[in-house]
């Protein structure tokens, strides 16, 4: 993959060439890219601004057809996209292909949203008046994305932005620009007019900052600390912001849970996709009666998981996506041990036939809620167990953490599940299923500091990607 910047419909090379390497095999270069220059970034933002009037006025059927076509091409090319994703980010091929299909569904869903009626009509308290409420595009959208979902996150932001008549400048993560480049090619292939979608490669600063300054709306997914910087920057120009940020998601396991199911969903949430999901499970809050059996079974299942090359069909857990993240994971393990967390399994790098960033699924036991390891996001294949007495304590502990993204419960009791749903402070609650694994047609998001502003996806996406206009019409009748 040789990737460039897409500016006003033209692919342009920039400065500061860089390569991406396969985290399953560090000797393999996956892509060669170059960062957009300062003037390229300015041109991309200007192109998005120039393209806005025509795109926001584009016939709704034409816009819907185009988005549907992008989804269709993503489905057709799912294996190519998924393979590139596996080579650049390290997800298993099945996960990579699944993510490509998910991205396609976001475009298909938003194609439908173009056609869905958006306006409201009210009678007025004044004779001879009507009131009409309509939604209009926000304008130029700056989309800034992380490395862990290199096609799905750009896709759900871009699809929603375009569906609502906005134009886009996307800055993906430097670790995984390949899928964003492919998305640019597919959008062009589908016939998107020039300037409506622009892609700039570069660092958070200056490139991310520059597109925030030029935009009317910023949609950001990434770490909470970066989110704070983005929010401060956008505040300068009072630019509308939507952010999806970090998590420290809890799964509560009650005594009445189905043990097989609980072990399965805990392992899935904690270690699949190498733990690199914002909604992954990092805290297991387990009641006393089931604790020992649950921990033993979970530990054994962790040891059986096949960690290896992402493209090997037997692999269940791919490598850590990049070296800085692996170093963070290992430092996390050290600090957790130093504060007294007991390492039940994992914690170390694994050797495989290729030289890659392989890490064993890691489980800590005997931890307490207030420990650093239970208050800090790891974002790797690492989770810890906290023993509690009952549901009320479990709910208290689940909420006893600054993050508010997703939270799950394994229980056979309907009233326990309902109590948890009601009192959890997370943005998303999941019953008898992994804390991760979200669908595209319902809102995704959380309270601060795990999110900020309107939710993404589903019908909720119109809250961020459009502006409301209220018109009072004195028609005299
Ligand atoms: P980062 O916050 O490091 O980076 C995210 C993006 O922001 C990258 O494109 C990065 O560019 C860019 N960026 C960095 N600094 C700035 C800045 N000052 N101004 C503008 N843009 C900037 O996150 P990661 O890529 O490391 O992703 C992991 C994090 O993302 C985790 O904390 C995870 O929880 C969160 N996440 C949240 C999700 C959610 O839906 N809630 C989903 C997925 C991930 P650069 O290429 O230079 O790093």
């Amino acid at each position: 993959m040789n990737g460039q910047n897409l500016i006003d419909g033209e692919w342009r090379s920039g400065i500061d060439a860089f390569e991406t390497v396969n985290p399953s095999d560090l000797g393999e270069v996956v892509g060669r890219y170059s960062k957009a220059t300062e003037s390229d970034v300015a041109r991309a933002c200007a192109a998005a601004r120039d393209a806005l009037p025509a795109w926001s006025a584009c016939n709704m059927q034409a816009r819907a057809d185009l988005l549907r076509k992008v989804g269709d091409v993503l489905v057709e090319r799912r294996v190519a996209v998924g393979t590139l994703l596996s080579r650049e980010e390290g997800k298993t091929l099945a996960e990579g292909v699944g993510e490509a299909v998910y991205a396609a569904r976001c475009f298909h869903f938003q194609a439908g949203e173009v056609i869905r009626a958006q306006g409201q009509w009210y009678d007025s308290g004044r004779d001879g008046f009507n009131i009409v409420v309509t939604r209009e595009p926000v304008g130029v959208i700056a989309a800034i994305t992380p490395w862990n979902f290199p096609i799905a996150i750009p896709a759900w932001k871009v699809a929603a932005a375009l569906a609502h008549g906005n134009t886009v400048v996307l800055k993906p993560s430097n670790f995984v620009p390949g899928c964003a480049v492919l998305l640019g090619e597919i959008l062009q292939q589908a016939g998107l007019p020039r300037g409506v979608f622009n892609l700039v490669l570069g660092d958070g600063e200056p490139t991310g900052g520059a597109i925030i300054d030029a935009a009317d709306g910023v949609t950001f997914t990434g770490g909470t600390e970066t989110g704070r910087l983005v929010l401060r920057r956008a505040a300068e120009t009072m630019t509308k912001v939507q952010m999806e940020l970090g998590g420290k998601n809890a799964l509560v396991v009650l005594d009445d849970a189905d043990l097989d199911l609980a072990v399965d969903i805990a392992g899935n949430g904690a270690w699949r996709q190498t733990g690199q999901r914002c909604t992954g499970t990092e805290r297991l809050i387990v009641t006393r009666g089931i604790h020992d059996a649950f921990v033993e079974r979970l530990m054994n299942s962790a040891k059986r998981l096949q960690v290896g090359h992402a493209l090997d069909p037997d692999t269940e857990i791919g490598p850590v996506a990049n070296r800085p993240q692996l170093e963070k994971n290992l430092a996390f393990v050290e600090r957790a041990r130093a504060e007294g967390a007991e390492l039940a399994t994992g914690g170390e790098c694994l050797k495989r036939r290729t030289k890659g960033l392989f890490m064993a699924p890691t489980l800590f036991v005997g931890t307490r809620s207030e420990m650093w390891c239970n208050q800090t996001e790891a974002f790797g294949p690492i989770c810890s167990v906290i023993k509690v007495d009952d549901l009320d304590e479990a709910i208290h502990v689940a909420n006893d953490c600054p993050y508010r993204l997703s939270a799950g419960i394994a229980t056979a009791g309907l009233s326990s599940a309902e109590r948890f749903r009601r009192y959890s402070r997370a943005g998303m609650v999941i019953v008898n299923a992994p804390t991760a694994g979200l669908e595209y047609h319902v809102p995704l998001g959380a309270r601060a500091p795990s999110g900020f502003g309107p939710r993404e996806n589903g019908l909720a996406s119109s809250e961020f990607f459009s502006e409301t206009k209220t018109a009072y019409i004195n028609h005299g009748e």
Side-chain angles (χ1 to χ4, degrees):
M1 158 71 53
N2 284 307
Q4 310 287 349
N5 301 278
L6 179 59
I7 296 163
D8 200 13
E10 283 173 22
W11 290 97
R12 296 173 60 86
S13 54
I15 45 164
D16 294 341
F18 66 103
E19 293 176 341
T20 55
V21 293
N22 186 340
S24 298
D25 183 354
L26 296 170
E28 182 192 332
V29 172
V30 179
R32 292 190 169 80
Y33 308 90
S34 59
K35 296 177 185 172
T37 64
E38 195 182 334
S39 67
D40 283 341
V41 176
R43 286 189 52 224
C45 297
R49 176 90 36 217
D50 291 347
L52 188 58
W55 178 249
S56 57
C58 172
N59 175 280
M60 76 165 194
Q61 192 62 55
R63 201 190 305 161
D65 290 349
L66 194 144
L67 294 183
R68 171 152 289 283
K69 192 166 169 191
V70 174
D72 292 346
V73 177
L74 274 165
V75 172
E76 276 162 29
R77 295 180 63 182
R78 63 190 180 281
V79 175
V81 176
T83 306
L84 172 64
L85 198 164
S86 293
R87 291 175 61 223
E88 201 157 55
E89 199 269 353
K91 274 181 203 174
T92 66
L93 186 58
E95 290 165 348
V97 173
E99 189 180 326
V101 172
Y102 189 100
R105 290 188 175 136
C106 294
F107 276 93
H108 286 154
F109 176 84
Q110 293 294 350
E113 281 297 88
V114 175
I115 293 162
R116 201 171 71 89
Q118 290 271 344
Q120 292 164 331
W121 178 276
Y122 292 83
D123 283 341
S124 168
R126 287 175 278 183
D127 291 339
F129 275 65
N130 285 324
I131 305 170
V132 180
V133 180
T134 51
R135 299 198 77 104
E136 299 182 349
V138 176
V140 174
I141 299 291
I144 301 177
T145 54
W147 48 258
N148 64 332
F149 283 94
I151 190 68
I153 295 178
W156 77 54
K157 290 183 186 306
V158 172
L162 298 183
H164 290 90
N166 305 284
T167 57
V168 178
V169 183
L170 169 66
K171 191 212 92 63
S173 163
N174 284 335
F175 287 116
V176 291
C179 287
V181 172
L182 269 185
L183 180 62
E185 287 174 12
I186 291 170
L187 287 162
Q188 269 193 320
Q189 202 183 324
L192 191 73
R194 59 188 295 163
V196 174
F197 170 81
N198 303 271
L199 171 67
V200 289
L201 307 184
D203 300 330
E205 277 299 346
T207 307
I211 69 171
I212 293 169
D213 291 347
D216 303 304
V218 180
T219 176
F220 171 82
T221 302
T224 294
E225 282 314 310
T226 317
R228 284 199 175 90
L229 296 175
V230 167
L231 194 54
R232 278 194 206 111
R233 182 88 181 223
E236 290 294 321
T237 44
M238 284 197 166
T239 300
K240 192 175 187 185
V241 177
Q242 165 191 72
M243 301 198 287
E244 301 306 338
L245 307 166
K248 185 77 186 170
N249 312 298
L251 173 69
V252 168
V253 179
L254 296 186
D255 285 355
D256 67 0
D258 175 324
L259 186 56
D260 289 338
L261 179 74
V263 169
D264 185 49
I265 65 181
N268 180 313
W271 299 313
R272 292 286 166 159
Q273 302 198 24
T274 325
Q276 297 166 156
R277 293 181 287 187
C278 53
T279 48
T281 308
E282 296 201 5
R283 294 179 296 148
L284 293 164
I285 301 165
V286 187
T287 48
R288 211 164 277 284
I290 198 170
H291 177 274
D292 292 355
F294 172 80
V295 165
E296 196 191 337
R297 294 272 288 275
L298 186 64
M299 197 174 69
N300 292 335
S301 85
K303 288 178 181 161
R304 282 196 302 272
L305 283 169
Q306 295 293 320
V307 179
H309 195 295
L311 294 178
D312 183 332
D314 294 330
T315 293
E316 295 171 294
I317 311 277
V320 175
N322 53 68
R323 194 178 285 285
Q325 186 62 49
L326 178 62
E327 282 163 9
K328 270 171 73 183
N329 294 350
L330 297 174
F332 189 99
V333 169
E334 278 320 302
R335 185 156 171 189
R337 293 181 78 168
E339 69 172 339
E342 185 189 330
L343 186 61
T345 185
E348 78 275 0
C349 290
L350 299 172
K351 283 211 165 75
R352 293 293 180 260
R353 87 191 139 72
T354 51
K355 194 162 180 284
L357 305 172
F358 304 111
M359 181 171 174
T362 300
L363 182 68
F364 283 105
V365 294
T367 72
R368 297 182 314 282
S369 179
E370 69 275 15
M371 287 167 79
W372 175 88
C373 67
N374 285 320
Q375 299 290 321
T376 312
E377 183 184 44
F379 212 59
I382 305 169
C383 74
S384 48
V385 177
I386 305 165
K387 195 192 283 185
V388 293
D389 285 331
D390 55 23
L391 174 61
D392 284 345
E393 190 185 355
I395 293 172
H396 172 78
V397 170
N399 289 334
D400 177 31
C401 178
Y403 292 100
R404 303 262 173 257
L405 196 51
S406 89
I409 185 165
T411 177
L414 189 55
S415 64
S416 299
E418 172 55 13
R419 191 170 170 78
F420 185 74
R421 185 196 69 76
R422 191 172 299 178
Y423 294 107
S424 167
R425 302 206 61 217
M428 295 170 285
V429 172
I430 290 113
V431 177
N432 290 326
T435 56
L438 307 175
E439 299 191 30
Y440 58 89
H441 64 298
V442 288
L444 180 165
R447 305 175 194 202
S450 289
F452 186 89
R455 302 292 197 257
E456 297 200 81
N457 286 349
L459 302 185
S461 51
S462 72
E463 288 169 37
F464 174 74
F465 287 103
S466 68
E467 290 285 359
T468 299
K469 179 178 278 175
T470 309
Y472 293 83
I473 300 163
N474 179 358
H475 51 72
E477 278 296 307

